[in-house]
Amino acid sequence: MKNHKIKNIKKELLSDNWYTLNKFTFDYQKNDGTWETQHREVYNCGDAAAVLIFNEEKNKLVLTRHSNTCAL
């Protein structure tokens, strides 16, 4: 499924020392129809998983403390 709200994705390698760190730049179409350039940095430490806990009743993310073992 293609997301038509995201275009012009550029990937830039920032670091390849221990693990890889990439910077993604892309244009994102907001709900009002205007386009905005956004940046995200993604640190890849191999096999990993991320979970976002979402409370549907309150329409909010639940933030918790976590342990980051890939940086050890």
Side-chain angles (χ1 to χ4, degrees):
M1 184 167 125
K2 186 172 179 163
N3 188 336
H4 297 286
K5 292 185 147 235
I6 297 174
K7 65 181 182 180
N8 300 327
I9 301 171
K10 177 181 148 195
K11 179 179 174 182
E12 177 184 359
L13 180 65
L14 300 179
S15 175
D16 192 17
N17 291 327
W18 191 257
Y19 296 106
T20 58
L21 175 63
N22 290 296
K23 178 179 181 181
F24 290 89
T25 303
F26 56 92
D27 295 329
Y28 174 76
Q29 188 177 29
K30 300 189 308 184
N31 290 336
D32 66 3
T34 61
W35 288 89
E36 174 179 271
T37 300
Q38 296 191 1
H39 310 276
R40 298 288 184 271
E41 291 183 2
V42 179
Y43 188 63
N44 184 347
C45 55
D47 294 335
V51 176
L52 290 176
I53 303 169
F54 185 73
N55 184 330
E56 289 183 355
E57 291 177 6
K58 295 183 179 182
N59 196 33
K60 293 186 178 185
L61 288 175
V62 179
L63 301 179
T64 63
R65 293 182 180 264
H66 70 280
S67 172
N68 188 352
T69 58
C70 74
L72 297 177

